[in-house]
Amino acid sequence: NTNVVWARQIPADSAGTLVSVAGAGARLKVYIAKDGSVMGGMGNWRNIEATREIQVNDSQTTWSFFERYGEKVAVEPVLVDYDEAVPNYDTATQLYYEYSAQSSQTELIPCWLFQVDYYLNKELVLTADTFIPAEQSYLPPVVEIIKPMDSEIFNYGDLIGFDCQVVEGLGTPPYRYEWNSSADGLL
């Protein structure tokens, strides 16, 4: 048995420039039996409709957001500890990002895809594809928790004030906040 995976490209501008779509929702797999019959399929591309053209940042400007805010602005989290991230600008590519069908998504996200070497204590720990939105309104909001302060201790029954500050110019309001604790879950 085998499977065939189809990738998708879509027009990115009025001139018809084709751009790849990446992410969990961007692939369609068809499983084929030894006799050539179709055994099944997996994936479901979202139907898309062009609504407008936007100006996107160049690769260096886009990467500067990662340098400033770290993986908070990446579409997918980096799953290793690191203290230095070095992008390869020569292989940086523009594309659209599509989440899996289980995630709510109303627009594909225009991104730059960087191959990034992640280092910890000057030792390479991972080379990974890193997706950064190519236009500021698509960046997730970056939030700094103001209250409660780190290491603050509360007794059972104490009222706790929660407050945060959003970095201006990132994301698209309105924002929705959820406060979670590693010990107690959703607060």
Side-chain angles (χ1 to χ4, degrees):
N1 301 327
T2 189
N3 78 38
V4 178
V5 179
W6 277 275
R8 174 166 65 154
Q9 290 188 320
I10 59 175
D13 56 25
S14 56
T17 305
L18 293 178
V19 175
S20 293
V21 179
R27 303 285 182 258
L28 179 63
K29 294 180 183 178
V30 177
Y31 297 93
I32 302 170
K34 290 179 183 177
D35 66 3
S37 62
V38 174
M39 295 170 42
M42 184 173 79
N44 59 343
W45 293 338
R46 288 174 168 85
N47 290 326
I48 60 165
E49 178 182 319
T51 56
R52 61 191 163 92
E53 285 189 27
I54 61 169
Q55 292 295 319
V56 296
N57 295 317
D58 61 33
S59 60
Q60 285 84 5
T61 302
T62 298
W63 185 255
S64 73
F65 290 105
F66 190 95
E67 289 174 330
R68 210 169 314 148
Y69 304 112
E71 63 186 74
K72 292 177 181 180
V73 297
V75 175
E76 297 175 347
V78 179
L79 300 177
V80 296
D81 290 331
Y82 66 93
D83 55 19
E84 183 181 12
V86 180
N88 181 340
Y89 290 112
D90 294 334
T91 60
T93 307
Q94 287 187 347
L95 49 74
Y96 288 103
Y97 189 90
E98 183 173 8
Y99 287 108
S100 73
Q102 286 77 29
S103 298
S104 175
Q105 184 175 4
T106 57
E107 291 184 69
L108 297 180
I109 302 169
C111 287
W112 277 95
L113 167 62
F114 297 94
Q115 288 181 323
V116 181
D117 291 335
Y118 291 94
Y119 295 88
L120 183 61
N121 300 322
K122 301 200 182 302
E123 183 176 322
L124 180 66
V125 292
L126 177 70
T127 298
D129 288 343
T130 303
F131 300 91
I132 310 294
E135 201 274 330
Q136 282 178 244
S137 68
Y138 289 92
L139 290 167
V142 174
V143 178
E144 177 187 344
I145 296 174
I146 298 170
K147 288 181 6 185
M149 301 292 287
D150 280 349
S151 305
E152 215 171 327
I153 297 174
F154 301 95
N155 293 317
Y156 181 81
D158 286 351
L159 291 177
I160 303 170
F162 293 91
D163 197 5
C164 64
Q165 183 174 11
V166 178
V167 174
E168 193 172 329
L170 303 182
T172 303
Y175 305 113
R176 180 175 162 253
Y177 303 98
E178 288 185 0
W179 297 85
N180 290 283
S181 160
S182 58
D184 298 321
L186 185 63
L187 300 176

